[in-house]
Amino acid sequence: MADVAQQMFTRFGKRFSAGTVLFREGDRGEEMFIIQSGKVKISKKIRGVEKTLATLEKGEFFGEMAILNDKPRSATAEVVEEGDMLVIDRKTFETLLRSNVEIAIRFIKRLADRLRETNDQMEALMIRDNTSRLVNILAKRVRESKGGTLSLAVDDVAGMAGIETAQAKSIVDKLASVRIVAVSPDGKITISTQEQVDRLLRYLEMREIFGEMM
Ligand code: CMP
């Protein structure tokens, strides 16, 4: 198995440094990417403002949409942490899907996950006030994380909540001042103890009952 991975990397692997824009929204697409290491930000300009749709890491793929439906790139992909990717051209991708049902099923499952995430995001965006929206996103991440320390970049959370980063920072600082979350020295939002999780969920419940007064 390690040999297959090595062969794939020899054939399709490329290293990209942080800051590399792999493609931009609207470009014609001929390749899809599978992340071996590092991180890639997927973003879209909405009314002139860049919004992060997702930050993808090891094991995830992107750039498949343009080659599957023969349409321009639906978003921009930028390397935010240096890493290795498999860069697969259209023909190889199609051959891979046709010849290997397991790989095809894995892709379909991941696409289904992505659709679910997008629906959840849409639901979150329908919440009117910014703090509730941000707290809902944190609560959802807490529920998904099944324990352990949750560490999230303010930028990413701001993007998911559709809030400017500066405003998200000020909301996070307020939440930190009442110890609902903590902010690590590198500026990440961390939720590490059950007590913090409970506080977060209680806060959310109260906001749902009392609305924007909270
Ligand atoms: P493509 O349209 O080729 O180029 C942009 C890529 O970003 C797209 O393919 C998907 O792979 C990826 N992408 C688009 N929307 C999302 C999303 N909401 N979450 C994660 N990835 C996405």
Side-chain angles (χ1 to χ4, degrees):
M1 193 61 199
D3 279 354
V4 175
Q6 188 54 48
Q7 277 170 15
M8 288 285 282
F9 193 75
T10 308
R11 209 165 144 208
F12 302 110
K14 272 192 196 161
R15 170 154 285 232
F16 295 97
S17 52
T20 307
V21 175
L22 298 166
F23 53 76
R24 288 189 192 279
E25 184 177 353
D27 285 354
R28 216 187 122 70
E30 289 299 331
E31 290 157 333
M32 61 85 61
F33 299 74
I34 304 174
I35 305 175
Q36 305 294 292
S37 63
K39 287 188 184 160
V40 172
K41 179 177 78 177
I42 304 291
S43 65
K44 207 170 164 61
K45 269 212 167 137
I46 299 171
R47 280 195 246 127
V49 181
E50 188 194 276
K51 300 279 178 204
T52 302
L53 297 179
T55 303
L56 307 177
E57 36 194 275
K58 186 178 158 72
E60 300 197 271
F61 62 86
F62 60 94
E64 78 296 346
M65 283 166 59
I67 57 179
L68 284 174
N69 57 21
D70 212 3
K71 296 222 163 108
R73 294 291 191 197
S74 59
T76 297
E78 181 187 343
V79 179
V80 287
E81 195 181 292
E82 181 180 49
D84 295 324
M85 328 250 161
L86 302 181
V87 184
I88 314 256
D89 61 88
R90 179 192 297 260
K91 201 157 166 268
T92 308
F93 183 48
E94 283 187 7
T95 309
L96 212 65
L97 292 183
R98 280 181 210 282
S99 62
N100 192 325
V101 176
E102 234 173 82
I103 291 187
I105 289 177
R106 245 197 288 160
F107 266 97
I108 294 168
K109 282 191 176 165
R110 187 61 197 113
L111 289 175
D113 276 347
R114 204 176 274 167
L115 184 59
R116 182 183 296 270
E117 282 158 18
T118 307
N119 285 350
D120 286 347
Q121 216 164 327
M122 214 167 82
E123 191 181 320
L125 290 174
M126 283 177 187
I127 300 171
R128 274 201 7 254
D129 87 292
N130 289 344
T131 305
S132 278
R133 218 160 50 230
L134 193 141
V135 173
N136 263 284
I137 286 165
L138 294 179
K140 190 169 178 324
R141 286 304 186 90
V142 161
R143 288 187 198 107
E144 283 168 1
S145 73
K146 298 176 188 135
T149 299
L150 195 67
S151 173
L152 298 163
V154 178
D155 255 9
D156 287 349
V157 177
M160 285 183 249
I163 309 172
E164 295 298 322
T165 305
Q167 203 194 349
K169 272 202 181 106
S170 115
I171 296 173
V172 168
D173 287 344
K174 260 195 270 167
L175 295 174
S177 72
V178 286
R179 291 188 293 130
I180 286 175
V181 299
V183 179
S184 63
D186 62 354
K188 289 205 164 153
I189 308 168
T190 62
I191 303 171
S192 50
T193 63
Q194 188 57 45
E195 195 193 335
Q196 272 176 331
V197 172
D198 292 343
R199 275 171 191 266
L200 175 69
L201 297 178
R202 247 192 339 263
Y203 180 74
L204 192 64
E205 234 172 62
M206 299 297 267
R207 274 188 85 91
E208 269 156 21
I209 298 169
F210 297 108
E212 292 175 31
M213 288 154 57
M214 296 282 303

